[in-house]
């Protein structure tokens, strides 16, 4: 896995004048060397995508669906190989990497299904008033133009799939820009797309450095931007191009609420296990990982030791080992940042109940209680394997604590009461409420996105397809309705 990897320019492989290395954050070994496109090559990709947009939009649905199914099939065939690649470039434990490949398979299958049934048209009689006699409106959705998809490092394959698959499904050309730390799985995705019969120019995978992105973002030939990443970068993009359509999937500060009725030993064991798993999976590098536990006083004293025990049972180690639950963060700098935030919280009076130690890029699964409200760990997204636990009195205080955040991506509510579930859905200022489980549950076909500073727009195949298109009305006149 140390060969130089070409990028994909308008459906074909190409190399530029410069390269960069991709390394494994666990042991520092070289995973691969990646070629960087020149400015002229980037221009060629953008020009090709812009030129092919009408042809691609007119491509028959069965052609797009066949290509999407092909990618899903090939991902399935190469699951272990690609999972090993994700684990090597990202540091993700292999069992989670296999799950990521499986999710990407689903994304492409969902997109193939949607491509076949999408845009059947909505016919509306207009003769409800005299002036509309004999008139019928037919509404269809039309691609807005070329999509610029900017993917993050934490799910390098699946979050690339969430940008590429919906674009192909609607016939919108896409230029995918993978994260510099984790480009290799996106380049494999390019291999699979190259095996299809999609029009030349309808897709590119460009390993462009972050510092070269402003020119792409500003390019008027790319009217749609789908970005997943940090809030400051996402909002800077949107502020710089106020007339473009931007879908932003940004940060979170995921809360799991455990209410008083969730009080049997089996209930608390389930809640503790799910919280421990999903505060630490992907090394905590997920926008919907559990960062905050908000527990009713009626269950707090019984729940807390169960959480600590479940967190301490998480196996930390080599991500290539099937037994590993928690691997390294994406870099040692990321782990040092997490370490600094935990140190700040402890110095301010928080109680460290588990973890709190760093070894290179690996940070031990950590639990803190009594964390002051004004420290960084309480206010920002930690993006690491760190969990805070807070005691509250009653449902109202619990829901207020969830909402006491500038983020609002997803929340989990452990309760058996249906009325409480609906109250949570109404009261919590988030994009999704998961009842009976952690906030980290995501099905790739459901709408996914946040409120407040967690983003704008929705992912999830069908919903991204809507984001990439607009409604165009055809009015037919003189019909015998």
């Amino acid at each position: 896995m140390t060969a130089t990897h070409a990028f994909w320019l308008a459906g074909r492989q190409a190399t530029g004048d410069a390269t960069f290395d991709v390394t494994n954050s666990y042991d520092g070994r070289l995973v691969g060397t990646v070629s960087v496109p020149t400015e002229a090559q980037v221009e060629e990709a953008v020009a090709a995508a812009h030129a092919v947009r009408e042809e691609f939009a007119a491509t028959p649905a069965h052609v797009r669906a066949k290509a999407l199914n092909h990618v899903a099939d090939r991902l399935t065939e190469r699951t272990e190989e690609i999972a090993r690649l994700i684990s090597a470039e990202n540091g993700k434990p292999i069992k989670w990497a296999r799950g990521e490949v499986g999710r990407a398979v689903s994304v492409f299958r969902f997109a193939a299904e949607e491509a076949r049934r999408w845009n059947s048209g909505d016919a509306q009689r207009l003769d409800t008033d005299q002036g509309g006699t004999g008139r019928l409106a037919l509404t269809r959705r039309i691609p807005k133009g070329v999509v610029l998809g900017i993917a993050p490092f934490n799910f390098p394959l699946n979050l690339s799939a969430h940008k590429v698959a919906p674009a192909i499904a609607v016939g919108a050309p896409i230029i995918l820009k993978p994260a510099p730390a984790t480009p290799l799985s996106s380049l494999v995705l390019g291999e699979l797309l190259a095996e299809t019969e999609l029009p030349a120019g309808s897709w590119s995978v460009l390993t462009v450095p972050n510092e070269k992105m402003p020119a792409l973002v500003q390019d008027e030939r790319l009217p749609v931007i789908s970005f997943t990443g940090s809030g400051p970068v996402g909002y800077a993009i949107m502020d710089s191009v106020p007339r473009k359509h931007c879908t932003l999937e940004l940060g979170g500060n995921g809360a799991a609420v455990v209410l008083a009725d969730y009080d049997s030993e089996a209930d608390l064991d389930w809640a503790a296990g799910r919280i421990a798993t999903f505060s630490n999976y992907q090394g905590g590098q997920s926008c919907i990982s559990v960062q905050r536990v908000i527990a009713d006083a009626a269950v707090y004293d019984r729940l807390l030791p169960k959480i600590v025990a479940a967190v301490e049972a998480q196996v930390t180690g080599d991500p290539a080992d099937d037994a590993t639950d928690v691997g390294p963060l994406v870099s040692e700098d990321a782990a040092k940042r997490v370490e600094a935030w935990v140190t700040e919280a402890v110095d301010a009076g928080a109680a460290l109940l588990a973890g709190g130690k760093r070894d290179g890029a690996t940070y031990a699964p950590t639990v803190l209680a009594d964390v002051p409200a004004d420290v960084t760990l309480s206010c920002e997204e930690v993006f690491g394997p760190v969990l805070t636990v807070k005691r509250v009195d009653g449902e109202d205080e619990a829901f207020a604590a969830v909402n006491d955040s500038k983020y609002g991506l997803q929340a989990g509510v452990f309760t058996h009461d249906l009325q409480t579930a609906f109250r949570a859905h109404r009261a919590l200022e988030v994009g999704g409420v998961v009842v009976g489980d952690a906030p980290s549950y995501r099905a790739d076909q459901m709408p996914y996105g946040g409120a407040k500073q967690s983003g704008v727009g929705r992912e999830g195949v069908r919903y991204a397809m809507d984001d990439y298109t607009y409604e165009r009305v055809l009015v037919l006149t003189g019909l015998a309705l």
Side-chain angles (χ1 to χ4, degrees), residues 150-152 154-155 159 163 225-239 246-254 285-289 291 380-383 406-410 442 448-459:
I150 306 173
N154 56 331
F155 289 87
L159 293 183
K163 300 182 188 313
I225 298 175
S226 178
F227 171 85
T228 302
S230 73
V233 175
Y235 285 118
I237 288 173
M238 188 168 69
D239 290 345
C246 294
T247 297
L248 306 179
E249 198 280 282
L250 307 176
N253 191 346
Q285 297 169 124
S286 168
C287 297
I288 47 177
S289 66
Q291 183 171 333
E380 299 295 339
E381 179 182 36
V382 66
F383 228 58
K406 64 184 179 182
Y407 298 108
L409 194 47
Q410 291 196 166
R442 177 184 179 183
Y448 176 75
K452 298 191 282 190
Q453 292 187 32
S454 284
V456 178
R458 291 294 180 267
E459 287 194 338

Side-chain angles (χ1 to χ4, degrees), residues 37 56 73 75 120 142 162 250 267 277 306 316 373 444 465 479:
F56 194 31
D73 291 343
L75 286 171
S120 58
I142 307 297
H162 269 286
L250 307 176
D267 286 343
T277 295
K306 291 178 182 289
T316 303
D444 291 286
M465 290 168 69
L479 301 178

Side-chain angles (χ1 to χ4, degrees), residues 102 107 137 152 155 171 219 249 369 386 434 441 463 480:
V107 169
F155 289 87
D219 197 305
E249 198 280 282
V386 178
V434 182
Y441 176 79
Y463 304 91

Side-chain angles (χ1 to χ4, degrees), residues 61 64-69 71-72 103-118 161-171 444-445 460-462 464-465:
R64 288 178 271 123
K66 180 181 177 182
L68 292 161
N69 273 326
V71 174
R103 288 182 60 188
V105 169
S106 294
V107 169
F108 278 94
R109 291 209 192 286
F110 294 147
E113 294 167 5
E114 293 292 352
R116 287 190 171 95
R117 63 174 167 248
W118 181 76
H162 269 286
K163 300 182 188 313
V164 172
I168 293 173
V170 301
D444 291 286
Q445 72 270 37
V461 175
R462 180 67 180 85
M465 290 168 69

Side-chain angles (χ1 to χ4, degrees), residues 212-274:
K212 298 292 187 180
M213 282 305 294
L216 265 178
V217 167
Q218 293 289 333
D219 197 305
E220 293 183 357
R221 294 168 296 178
L222 308 176
V224 179
I225 298 175
S226 178
F227 171 85
T228 302
S230 73
V233 175
Y235 285 118
I237 288 173
M238 188 168 69
D239 290 345
S240 72
V241 285
R243 290 176 176 81
K244 290 193 178 190
H245 178 91
C246 294
T247 297
L248 306 179
E249 198 280 282
L250 307 176
N253 191 346
V257 177
V258 185
L259 294 175
D261 71 300
Y262 215 80
D263 62 350
S264 73
E265 289 302 311
D267 286 343
L268 297 180
D269 285 342
W270 165 258
R274 299 297 283 179

Side-chain angles (χ1 to χ4, degrees), residues 139-156:
T139 303
R140 295 188 294 167
R141 298 195 69 88
I142 307 297
K144 293 173 180 174
V146 183
V147 177
L148 173 60
I150 306 173
F153 72 82
N154 56 331
F155 289 87

Side-chain angles (χ1 to χ4, degrees), residues 300 304-305 308-309 312 346 350-356 365-370 387 389:
Y300 181 92
L304 182 57
V308 172
E312 290 178 334
V346 171
L352 180 64
L353 305 179
T366 297
V367 181
L368 301 104
D370 305 318
L387 184 66
V389 188

